[in-house]
Amino acid sequence: MASDVTLELLDREEVMTVECEQDLTMDQLLVTMADICHISPVARGLFAFKQAGRWLPPSHTVSAETGALQLRLRYKMPDWRSRDRASNLKNVDPKAFQYFYSQVRKDFDCGLVCNK
């Protein structure tokens, strides 16, 4: 039986509703959403789904009770601010970097970034 899952992709204004099989894991859903956002497999492991302030494990399965999910960059790469490093996210995957920028921008606009 399929379930509708509401996804907030932070690089877009609209919210997506995706029909998923109930035995689909968050990891499998992440692969699909990363493809939609053009995030490469190399950077995909840095992303995860967040639901109501809680990170969901990759093994979590979609169910009828699955509410709105938010795709977010969860892990930052070492020396991610250094422009000359090969590990800089902008060098590894420009689309993932752009998504991260959209995530920070949205957090800032919503007042979730503290300036103290």
Side-chain angles (χ1 to χ4, degrees):
M1 184 169 185
S3 296
D4 286 341
V5 177
T6 303
L7 292 162
E8 182 180 2
L9 302 176
L10 301 175
D11 63 344
R12 295 144 204 236
E13 292 295 322
E14 70 277 355
V15 175
M16 276 180 114
T17 301
V18 179
E19 187 175 320
C20 301
E21 294 299 319
Q22 286 197 358
D23 60 344
L24 189 73
T25 65
M26 290 297 125
D27 196 42
Q28 293 166 324
L29 184 59
L30 176 62
V31 170
T32 303
M33 293 300 102
D35 287 343
I36 289 171
C37 295
H38 306 288
I39 295 170
S40 72
V42 173
R44 186 172 57 217
L46 301 172
F47 288 82
F49 288 106
K50 199 170 188 181
Q51 179 183 42
R54 187 176 67 108
W55 293 104
L56 298 177
S59 60
H60 186 83
T61 56
V62 173
S63 68
E65 292 82 37
T66 301
L69 301 175
Q70 198 177 58
L71 179 64
R72 297 183 64 86
L73 182 84
R74 183 171 183 181
Y75 302 104
K76 296 181 186 87
M77 299 172 77
D79 298 323
W80 66 279
R81 290 184 178 157
S82 177
R83 292 181 186 196
D84 55 340
R85 297 275 179 145
S87 66
N88 181 303
L89 184 58
K90 192 172 187 179
N91 295 335
V92 173
D93 186 348
K95 292 288 187 179
F97 178 79
Q98 184 61 41
Y99 191 92
F100 176 56
Y101 176 83
S102 299
Q103 175 180 318
V104 172
R105 177 65 189 242
K106 182 158 185 120
D107 288 349
F108 181 81
D109 290 345
C110 292
L112 300 174
V113 177
C114 181
N115 62 359
K116 293 181 183 179

